[in-house]
Amino acid sequence: MTSTKTGQSTLPERPGLTDGVAGEFTVYTTIKPGHADQLRQDLANVMSAFAKDRSALQQIGTLHDARHVIFDDDTRFMFASVFDGPWDTYIDDFATTVVGDNFDKIFAHSEGFPGIKDPGVKDWFVAHQAPALAFVSSYPDLTVKQIWKDQRVNEAFQAVLDTPEFRAALEDPANAALVATPAFQKLLDEASA
């Protein structure tokens, strides 16, 4: 159990490694006999829907990536992902968003899956989770939401860089002191990299 400063227990220890704000989650399950082809079809349908509309990922806002793999001659299934924040919150997000319906559809092909909204689902995931032996993130201090914001800011800044007004401002002698600062030069260097 994790403890608070007062010594009271809070949530149980959860498997999985973290690097900065990111955590890893890998679950291995047994596919119900004869369900592999339907699992493939359900995964294809879910991924097709995500390709058209990523709003569910924005609704969760903590998922860096996810992988689904069928292996061992169509008898085993792996789900692996990288997420921000606490493990329990991550699992709760599945149950409280549209992604929960997709999880129910996909994991319904796994033996013993109780359903994403079942009170025992976290115990089921823990029983099927295999923590990584090593886990590293290229950007351990950036959440998904920070990365999205950085992308929006970069796109807006790049659009400004391409305007004649910006070029004129750079060449205006009145802005020479600002343009010459190390911070501004670094900004221009990073933008051109």
Side-chain angles (χ1 to χ4, degrees), residues 4-77:
T4 63
K5 289 183 181 180
T6 61
Q8 297 175 341
S9 65
T10 55
L11 298 173
E13 289 291 326
R14 300 298 189 184
L17 298 178
T18 60
D19 185 15
V21 298
E24 58 87 18
F25 178 68
T26 306
V27 174
Y28 295 94
T29 71
T30 301
I31 299 172
K32 293 176 181 176
H35 279 245
D37 288 339
Q38 186 59 52
L39 173 56
R40 277 188 186 84
Q41 185 60 53
D42 288 344
L43 282 168
N45 292 341
V46 166
M47 296 317 296
S48 177
F50 274 131
K52 295 174 188 165
D53 180 7
R54 293 182 167 263
S55 62
L57 298 175
Q58 292 172 341
Q59 185 181 16
I60 290 176
T62 59
L63 180 66
H64 288 265
D65 62 65
R67 292 154 309 289
H68 302 265
V69 179
I70 296 173
F71 63 104
D72 280 350
D73 295 322
D74 289 354
T75 63
R76 305 281 315 277
F77 174 68

